[in-house]
C-alpha cells in the first residue's frame, strides 16, 4: 500500500484533472471557443448590422484582402514597426555591457529603466505627443538649436508618423531589454573573459567571440517575445494617432480594430486577424529555422 | 552610460515637471526642468474636476485586483497539475494551452464581443474580469518553477498521508513565493494598463477605467497640456507603488524567466 502511494505521483492520477479544471474551463471559454468562432467567421459576412442574416461567403473575404490597398498598407506599416525589435536590442546590449562593469548607480538605474515598460500606454502617448509637437515641442526645439531649420512633423505627418511611433516603442523596450541583458551578462563566467584577456584578446574580440555567443539564447528569446508584443501593440498608437494621419500609422492591430468596431465588418475583420496570425507564425518559423546558425546553448 | 540611462528617463521628468507648470511655461525652450512657481491646481483638478479620477481608480482597482486574484489562483492550480501530477493526456493538453498563447488578441476580440453580448456581460466589468482571471503565461511561468522542486518532497508528504491539495497548499505554494509575487505584479500591471479590452467592452462612462478616462480627458480638454500631464502622472502612481514594493521579485522573476527560457 505504501509502495503504491510512494509512486503515486509517477502514475496516472485523476487529481490532475481537478487541478487543471478551472483554468481549462476558462481557457476554453475565453480563448479556444472564440478562436474557433473566429475561424468560422472569416468565411462569413458577419456584421453587427446583419445579426439575423449571416451568409457564408466562402473565400470572398480573402479575395477582398488581395485587392485591399488599406490592408497592404497596414502590413507594410506593421513590418516597419517590427524593426523596433532588433533596433532596441542593438541599443540595449552595449549599454547593458557597460552597466554590468560599473558598480555605481546600477541598482537605482535598474529600477528606473523599468518605468517605461510598466507605464500606461495612454499616458506614454500623451507625453510623447507633446514632446513631438511639431512647432512647439522640445524635440524639434532641440533640433532647431543644432541647426535643423525644418524639423519633421513626427506624429502629425502621414509619412513620418510610423517612425515617430517606432521611436516611442524603442524607448519603451530599451530599458526592459537592458535589464534582461544585465541578468544574462551576470551569468557569463568571469574566468572565461579573464583567460581571454591573458591570452591577449582585445576587448572587441572577447565581446564578439565570448560574450555575444554566451548571451545569444537571451537575444533569441528577447527577439521572439519582442516580435510578439510589437505586433500586438495597440494602446500607444490608438491614443497618439489612431492610425493616422490618413493611414500613416495604420498597423494591422488598428486596421482590425477599426474594421470590426468602427465599420462593424466583423467577418472581414476576422479574416484580417488571421493574416496577422499568419505573419506571427511566419516570423516564428524564420527565427526558429535561423536560430541554429547563431544561438549557442 | 549613466547619461544615456538618464536620457531614457527625461520624458518622465518632463511629464512631472510639466504637470506643475503654468500653460505658458509648457513649451518654453530651453526646458525649465524645475518650475519656479509650482502650480498644484492641475493635480487638484484631476482628482476633483468633472470625470474625476477617483471613480476611474475604483473601477480599475476592482478589475485589476479581482482579475489578478483569479489569474494567480487558477494558474497556480493548473501549473501544479501540469507539473506535479501525472495524468492521461497531460502533454497534449499542455500543448493546446501553449498554442493558445500564440494567438494574437486581435483574433479573439470579435468573437468575444459576440460571446459577451450573448452572456449578457458586454458593457459590464465582468467582460474584463472573467477573461482576465485566466492567464496562460502565468501557468507557464509557475510550471517552470514547480518543475524544479525535487519530487522527493512530494513523495515524503504522500507517505505521510497528505493528498495533492495539501501538498499544493502546504509545500509547493510556500516554496514558490518569489514566482507567485512576480506573476501577481506583472498580471496586476497588465490589467491596470489594459486599454484595448476596456475600449471594446465598456461603453458607460461610469464604468470607465483609468486608461479610458485618460483618453476621455484629452477629448474633453485637448489643449490643457498641464492637466494631461497631471492625469498621466496620476495614472502611474499605483504602478510605481506596486513596482517599488515588489521590484526585487519583478526583476529577478522576469530575468530568470527570460534568461532560462
Amino acid at each position: 500500500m505504501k509502495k503504491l502511494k510512494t509512486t503515486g505521483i509517477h502514475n496516472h492520477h485523476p487529481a490532475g484533472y481537478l487541478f487543471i479544471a478551472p483554468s481549462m474551463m476558462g481557457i476554453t471559454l475565453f480563448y479556444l471557443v472564440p478562436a474557433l468562432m473566429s475561424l468560422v467567421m472569416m468565411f462569413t459576412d458577419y456584421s453587427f448590422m446583419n445579426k439575423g442574416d449571416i451568409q457564408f461567403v466562402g473565400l470572398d473575404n480573402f479575395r477582398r484582402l488581395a485587392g485591399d490597398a488599406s490592408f497592404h498598407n497596414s502590413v507594410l506599416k506593421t513590418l516597419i514597426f517590427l524593426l523596433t525589435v532588433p533596433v532596441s536590442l542593438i541599443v540595449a546590449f552595449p549599454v547593458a555591457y557597460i552597466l554590468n562593469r560599473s558598480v555605481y548607480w546600477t541598482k537605482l538605474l535598474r529600477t528606473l529603466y523599468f518605468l517605461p515598460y510598466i507605464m500606461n500606454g495612454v499616458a506614454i502617448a500623451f507625453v510623447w505627443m507633446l514632446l513631438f509637437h511639431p512647432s512647439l515641442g522640445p524635440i524639434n526645439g532641440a533640433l532647431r538649436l543644432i541647426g535643423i531649420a525644418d524639423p519633421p512633423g513626427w506624429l502629425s505627418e502621414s509619412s513620418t508618423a510610423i517612425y515617430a511611433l517606432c521611436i516611442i516603442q524603442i524607448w519603451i523596450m530599451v530599458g526592459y531589454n537592458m535589464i534582461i541583458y544585465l541578468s544574462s551578462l551576470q551569468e557569463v563566467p568571469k574566468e572565461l573573459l579573464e583567460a581571454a584577456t591573458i591570452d591577449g584578446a582585445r576587448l572587441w574580440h572577447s565581446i564578439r567571440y565570448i560574450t555575444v555567443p554566451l548571451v545569444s539564447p537571451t537575444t533569441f528569446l528577447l527577439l521572439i517575445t519582442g516580435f510578439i508584443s510589437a505586433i500586438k501593440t495597440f494602446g500607444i498608437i490608438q491614443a497618439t494617432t489612431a492610425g493616422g494621419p490618413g493611414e500613416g500609422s495604420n498597423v494591422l492591430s488598428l486596421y482590425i480594430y477599426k474594421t470590426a468596431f468602427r465599420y462593424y465588418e466583423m467577418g472581414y475583420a476576422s479574416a484580417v486577424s488571421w493574416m496577422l496570425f499568419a505573419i506571427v507564425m511566419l516570423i516564428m518559423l524564420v527565427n526558429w529555422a535561423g536560430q541554429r546558425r547563431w544561438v549557442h546553448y | 552610460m549613466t547619461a544615456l540611462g538618464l536620457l531614457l528617463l527625461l520624458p518622465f521628468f518632463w511629464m512631472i515637471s510639466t504637470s506643475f507648470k503654468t500653460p505658458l511655461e509648457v513649451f518654453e525652450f530651453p526646458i525649465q526642468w524645475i518650475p519656479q512657481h509650482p502650480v498644484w491646481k492641475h493635480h487638484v483638478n484631476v482628482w476633483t474636476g468633472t470625470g474625476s479620477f477617483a471613480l476611474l481608480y475604483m473601477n480599475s482597482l476592482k478589475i485589476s485586483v479581482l482579475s489578478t486574484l483569479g489569474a494567480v489562483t487558477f494558474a497556480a492550480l493548473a501549473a501544479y497539475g501540469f507539473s506535479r501530477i501525472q495524468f492521461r493526456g497531460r502533454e497534449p493538453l499542455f500543448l493546446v494551452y501553449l498554442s493558445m498563447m500564440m494567438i494574437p488578441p486581435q483574433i479573439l476580440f470579435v468573437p468575444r464581443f459576440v460571446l459577451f453580448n450573448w452572456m449578457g456581460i458586454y458593457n459590464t466589468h465582468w467582460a474584463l474580469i472573467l477573461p482576465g482571471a485566466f492567464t496562460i503565461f502565468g501557468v507557464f511561468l509557475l510550471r517552470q518553477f514547480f518543475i524544479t522542486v525535487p519530487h522527493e518532497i512530494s513523495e515524503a508528504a504522500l507517505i505521510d498521508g497528505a493528498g495533492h491539495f495539501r501538498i499544493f497548499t502546504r509545500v509547493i505554494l510556500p516554496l514558490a513565493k518569489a514566482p507567485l509575487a512576480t506573476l501577481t505584479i506583472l498580471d496586476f500591471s497588465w490589467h491596470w494598463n489594459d486599454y484595448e479590452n476596456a475600449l471594446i467592452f465598456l461603453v458607460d462612462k461610469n464604468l470607465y477605467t483609468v486608461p479610458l478616462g485618460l483618453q476621455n480627458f484629452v477629448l474633453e480638454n485637448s489643449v490643457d497640456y498641464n492637466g494631461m500631464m497631471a492625469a498621466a502622472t496620476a495614472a502611474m502612481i499605483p504602478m510605481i507603488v506596486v513596482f517599488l514594493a515588489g521590484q526585487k521579485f519583478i526583476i529577478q522573476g522576469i530575468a530568470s524567466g527570460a534568461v532560462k527560457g
Side-chain angles (χ1 to χ4, degrees), chain A residues 13 17 23 30 118 126 171, chain B residues 8 86 88 97 112 193 218:
Chain A
H13 199 302
Y17 298 114
S23 160
F30 297 115
I118 56 165
F126 290 0
W171 175 75
Chain B
L8 269 183
Q86 218 22 283
R88 231 173 287 280
Y97 248 70
R112 277 186 185 172
N193 290 327
V218 176

Side-chain angles (χ1 to χ4, degrees), chain A residues 160-175:
Chain A
T160 53
I162 189 70
Y163 300 104
L165 284 162
C166 285
I167 293 175
I168 304 177
Q169 176 75 3
I170 291 168
W171 175 75
I172 294 173
M173 291 313 297
V174 158

Side-chain angles (χ1 to χ4, degrees), chain A residues 55-75:
Chain A
Q55 305 278 332
F56 268 88
V57 295
L59 293 172
D60 276 7
N61 285 329
F62 291 93
R63 269 180 222 121
R64 188 176 150 192
L65 273 174
D68 180 352
S70 294
F71 169 69
H72 299 161
N73 168 68
S74 69
V75 171

Side-chain angles (χ1 to χ4, degrees), chain B residues 87-102:
Chain B
F87 56 87
R88 231 173 287 280
R90 187 172 89 161
E91 308 310 318
L93 279 177
F94 191 64
L95 264 176
V96 172
Y97 248 70
L98 287 184
S99 65
M100 289 291 111
M101 205 152 74
M102 300 283 289

